Amino acid sequence: MELANIEKLLEKYENAETSIAEENELKNYFLSNNVPEHLQEYQALFGYFSTSKQERYTKTIQLKSQKWNWKLLSVAASVILLVSIYGGHYKVQQNRAEKAYNESQLAFGMLSANLNKGTVAITQLQEFEIAKNKALKQSKK
Amino acid sequence: MKQTEFLKTVMPFKDKVFRLAKRLLVSTEEAEDATQELFFKLWKNKGKLSNYKSVEAFAMTMTKNYCFDRLKSKQASNLSLVHSNYQEKGTSLDRRVELNDSVSKVHELIENLPEQQKLIIQLRDVEQYEFDEIAKMLNIKPTAVRVTLSRARKTIKEQLLKQHNYGVS
């Protein structure tokens, strides 16, 4: 394109009167290599615009928010809390029951020991009874 | 609206949203976060999308508003961080070297423009939207778009010429 034409377009460009098509014309002109010395700064300008447009958003867009995860996390935390409270309570009750069991075991042990003493005495008594009966039988004869 | 259908309408302009966010927020990470957040918002409001003539224009408006909000809150929190601001200016020697490249000079010039001019330069000169579209996105008159754009283009040109002349003389 003619230089005079380009300079006219540049003036229009500055006044923001160019159309998109005309701006593309300017862009194409300045991206080509033969740009005269006094218009060099425009080359930087239009070059910058076209490189800027090439920048991309490279990450993937997540539609599930992290706020939702917080909600889920709090639900999980409360479940864990409930379970641990229940578990703790259960454990305490178990300990209590074990203690009671041990104590009653001890009591039964004592009881049976004493009872055994009693039965020993009774067998001795029985022995005595048998001997007495024998003696009585013989004296009857 | 199903997820696949939503993605089909939304995917074509995801890069535009990202580039606009980056233009306004400057940092790539923040622009990525903003893009993610914006698409999530769109997805949550998917029922309302059919009310808009152009989902793309609506998304660009949302992006603009979101970024301006972010910038406001950032400015508010930056006030207490005077020291780190000072450091920012001093350190970046390699950035200055990088700016010798004339294309990066353009980047810096645009960065220093007022927000509205920056926005319109991005929408017109990079994304090549029509004036009417930009006017609708920003909720201003098309003539106001032209005036602002012209001002921005003139500023950039003058600054570039100034730097060019420094190099020559």
Short mmCIF file of all heavy atoms in Angstrom, two decimals, chain A residues 113-138:
data_model
loop_
_atom_site.label_atom_id
_atom_site.label_comp_id
_atom_site.label_asym_id
_atom_site.label_seq_id
_atom_site.Cartn_x
_atom_site.Cartn_y
_atom_site.Cartn_z
N ALA A 113 -15.03 -69.43 97.65
CA ALA A 113 -13.98 -69.91 98.56
C ALA A 113 -14.59 -70.20 99.93
O ALA A 113 -14.33 -71.26 100.53
CB ALA A 113 -12.88 -68.84 98.68
N ASN A 114 -15.42 -69.25 100.39
CA ASN A 114 -16.05 -69.47 101.70
C ASN A 114 -16.99 -70.67 101.70
O ASN A 114 -17.06 -71.44 102.66
CB ASN A 114 -16.81 -68.22 102.12
CG ASN A 114 -15.83 -67.11 102.53
OD1 ASN A 114 -14.72 -67.41 102.95
ND2 ASN A 114 -16.24 -65.87 102.38
N LEU A 115 -17.72 -70.78 100.56
CA LEU A 115 -18.63 -71.90 100.43
C LEU A 115 -17.88 -73.22 100.49
O LEU A 115 -18.30 -74.18 101.14
CB LEU A 115 -19.36 -71.78 99.09
CG LEU A 115 -20.76 -72.36 99.05
CD1 LEU A 115 -21.69 -71.53 99.95
CD2 LEU A 115 -21.29 -72.37 97.63
N ASN A 116 -16.70 -73.22 99.83
CA ASN A 116 -15.89 -74.43 99.83
C ASN A 116 -15.46 -74.83 101.24
O ASN A 116 -15.48 -76.00 101.61
CB ASN A 116 -14.65 -74.26 98.96
CG ASN A 116 -15.02 -74.40 97.49
OD1 ASN A 116 -16.11 -74.93 97.20
ND2 ASN A 116 -14.15 -73.97 96.61
N LYS A 117 -15.12 -73.80 102.00
CA LYS A 117 -14.75 -74.07 103.39
C LYS A 117 -15.89 -74.83 104.09
O LYS A 117 -15.69 -75.81 104.80
CB LYS A 117 -14.52 -72.75 104.14
CG LYS A 117 -13.06 -72.34 104.20
CD LYS A 117 -12.93 -71.09 105.11
CE LYS A 117 -11.85 -70.18 104.60
NZ LYS A 117 -11.98 -68.83 105.19
N GLY A 118 -17.10 -74.30 103.82
CA GLY A 118 -18.32 -74.89 104.41
C GLY A 118 -18.48 -76.35 104.00
O GLY A 118 -18.70 -77.23 104.84
N THR A 119 -18.29 -76.64 102.69
CA THR A 119 -18.49 -78.02 102.23
C THR A 119 -17.46 -78.96 102.82
O THR A 119 -17.78 -80.11 103.15
CB THR A 119 -18.45 -78.11 100.69
OG1 THR A 119 -17.36 -77.32 100.21
CG2 THR A 119 -19.74 -77.65 100.04
N VAL A 120 -16.23 -78.44 103.00
CA VAL A 120 -15.21 -79.29 103.62
C VAL A 120 -15.67 -79.71 105.03
O VAL A 120 -15.63 -80.88 105.41
CB VAL A 120 -13.85 -78.56 103.67
CG1 VAL A 120 -12.87 -79.30 104.58
CG2 VAL A 120 -13.26 -78.42 102.28
N ALA A 121 -16.16 -78.68 105.73
CA ALA A 121 -16.63 -78.98 107.10
C ALA A 121 -17.77 -80.00 107.08
O ALA A 121 -17.81 -80.93 107.90
CB ALA A 121 -17.10 -77.67 107.76
N ILE A 122 -18.67 -79.82 106.08
CA ILE A 122 -19.82 -80.73 106.00
C ILE A 122 -19.37 -82.16 105.68
O ILE A 122 -19.87 -83.12 106.28
CB ILE A 122 -20.82 -80.21 104.95
CG1 ILE A 122 -21.59 -79.02 105.56
CG2 ILE A 122 -21.81 -81.30 104.51
CD1 ILE A 122 -22.50 -78.31 104.62
N THR A 123 -18.40 -82.33 104.78
CA THR A 123 -17.93 -83.69 104.49
C THR A 123 -17.33 -84.35 105.73
O THR A 123 -17.54 -85.55 105.98
CB THR A 123 -16.87 -83.72 103.36
OG1 THR A 123 -15.96 -82.65 103.56
CG2 THR A 123 -17.53 -83.60 101.98
N GLN A 124 -16.62 -83.46 106.50
CA GLN A 124 -16.07 -84.01 107.74
C GLN A 124 -17.21 -84.49 108.64
O GLN A 124 -17.16 -85.57 109.22
CB GLN A 124 -15.24 -82.95 108.46
CG GLN A 124 -13.83 -82.85 107.89
CD GLN A 124 -13.07 -81.69 108.53
OE1 GLN A 124 -13.65 -80.86 109.22
NE2 GLN A 124 -11.78 -81.70 108.31
N LEU A 125 -18.25 -83.65 108.69
CA LEU A 125 -19.40 -84.00 109.52
C LEU A 125 -20.04 -85.30 109.03
O LEU A 125 -20.43 -86.17 109.83
CB LEU A 125 -20.45 -82.89 109.49
CG LEU A 125 -20.34 -81.82 110.58
CD1 LEU A 125 -21.41 -80.76 110.36
CD2 LEU A 125 -20.52 -82.46 111.95
N GLN A 126 -20.12 -85.40 107.68
CA GLN A 126 -20.71 -86.61 107.11
C GLN A 126 -19.93 -87.85 107.51
O GLN A 126 -20.51 -88.88 107.90
CB GLN A 126 -20.74 -86.49 105.57
CG GLN A 126 -22.16 -86.25 105.10
CD GLN A 126 -22.21 -85.89 103.64
OE1 GLN A 126 -21.17 -85.67 103.03
NE2 GLN A 126 -23.41 -85.87 103.11
N GLU A 127 -18.65 -87.70 107.42
CA GLU A 127 -17.73 -88.77 107.82
C GLU A 127 -18.05 -89.23 109.26
O GLU A 127 -18.18 -90.42 109.56
CB GLU A 127 -16.32 -88.16 107.75
CG GLU A 127 -15.17 -89.05 107.43
CD GLU A 127 -15.12 -89.61 106.03
OE1 GLU A 127 -15.47 -88.99 104.98
OE2 GLU A 127 -14.68 -90.74 106.01
N PHE A 128 -18.18 -88.21 110.09
CA PHE A 128 -18.48 -88.45 111.50
C PHE A 128 -19.81 -89.20 111.63
O PHE A 128 -19.93 -90.16 112.41
CB PHE A 128 -18.52 -87.08 112.20
CG PHE A 128 -18.80 -87.16 113.67
CD1 PHE A 128 -17.80 -87.64 114.55
CD2 PHE A 128 -20.04 -86.80 114.21
CE1 PHE A 128 -18.05 -87.71 115.89
CE2 PHE A 128 -20.26 -86.88 115.57
CZ PHE A 128 -19.28 -87.33 116.42
N GLU A 129 -20.82 -88.78 110.85
CA GLU A 129 -22.15 -89.38 110.87
C GLU A 129 -22.07 -90.86 110.50
O GLU A 129 -22.66 -91.73 111.18
CB GLU A 129 -23.04 -88.64 109.85
CG GLU A 129 -24.48 -89.10 109.80
CD GLU A 129 -25.36 -88.41 110.83
OE1 GLU A 129 -24.84 -87.50 111.53
OE2 GLU A 129 -26.53 -88.79 110.97
N ILE A 130 -21.32 -91.16 109.43
CA ILE A 130 -21.18 -92.54 109.00
C ILE A 130 -20.57 -93.39 110.11
O ILE A 130 -21.07 -94.48 110.45
CB ILE A 130 -20.29 -92.63 107.72
CG1 ILE A 130 -21.06 -92.02 106.54
CG2 ILE A 130 -19.91 -94.08 107.40
CD1 ILE A 130 -20.16 -91.71 105.37
N ALA A 131 -19.53 -92.83 110.70
CA ALA A 131 -18.85 -93.56 111.79
C ALA A 131 -19.82 -93.81 112.95
O ALA A 131 -19.87 -94.90 113.53
CB ALA A 131 -17.63 -92.77 112.25
N LYS A 132 -20.61 -92.73 113.21
CA LYS A 132 -21.57 -92.85 114.32
C LYS A 132 -22.60 -93.94 114.03
O LYS A 132 -22.90 -94.79 114.87
CB LYS A 132 -22.26 -91.49 114.53
CG LYS A 132 -23.15 -91.44 115.73
CD LYS A 132 -24.09 -90.23 115.64
CE LYS A 132 -25.25 -90.60 114.74
NZ LYS A 132 -26.20 -89.45 114.63
N ASN A 133 -23.16 -93.95 112.79
CA ASN A 133 -24.14 -94.95 112.40
C ASN A 133 -23.57 -96.36 112.54
O ASN A 133 -24.28 -97.28 113.01
CB ASN A 133 -24.61 -94.72 110.95
CG ASN A 133 -25.57 -93.51 110.89
OD1 ASN A 133 -26.04 -93.06 111.95
ND2 ASN A 133 -25.84 -93.04 109.70
N LYS A 134 -22.34 -96.51 112.06
CA LYS A 134 -21.69 -97.83 112.16
C LYS A 134 -21.65 -98.28 113.62
O LYS A 134 -22.00 -99.43 113.99
CB LYS A 134 -20.26 -97.76 111.60
CG LYS A 134 -20.20 -98.09 110.11
CD LYS A 134 -18.73 -98.14 109.70
CE LYS A 134 -18.62 -98.20 108.22
NZ LYS A 134 -17.24 -97.90 107.82
N ALA A 135 -21.24 -97.34 114.47
CA ALA A 135 -21.11 -97.65 115.88
C ALA A 135 -22.47 -98.04 116.49
O ALA A 135 -22.59 -99.02 117.25
CB ALA A 135 -20.51 -96.45 116.63
N LEU A 136 -23.51 -97.29 116.07
CA LEU A 136 -24.84 -97.57 116.58
C LEU A 136 -25.30 -98.96 116.15
O LEU A 136 -25.85 -99.73 116.94
CB LEU A 136 -25.83 -96.51 116.10
CG LEU A 136 -25.86 -95.21 116.93
CD1 LEU A 136 -26.80 -94.20 116.27
CD2 LEU A 136 -26.35 -95.52 118.35
N LYS A 137 -25.07 -99.33 114.85
CA LYS A 137 -25.46 -100.64 114.33
C LYS A 137 -24.81 -101.76 115.13
O LYS A 137 -25.47 -102.73 115.54
CB LYS A 137 -25.04 -100.77 112.85
CG LYS A 137 -26.17 -100.44 111.91
CD LYS A 137 -25.69 -100.63 110.49
CE LYS A 137 -26.55 -99.88 109.52
NZ LYS A 137 -25.89 -99.86 108.20
N GLN A 138 -23.53 -101.58 115.37
CA GLN A 138 -22.81 -102.64 116.07
C GLN A 138 -23.33 -102.80 117.50
O GLN A 138 -23.46 -103.91 118.01
CB GLN A 138 -21.31 -102.31 116.05
CG GLN A 138 -20.69 -102.85 114.78
CD GLN A 138 -19.20 -102.59 114.75
OE1 GLN A 138 -18.66 -101.84 115.55
NE2 GLN A 138 -18.55 -103.33 113.87
#
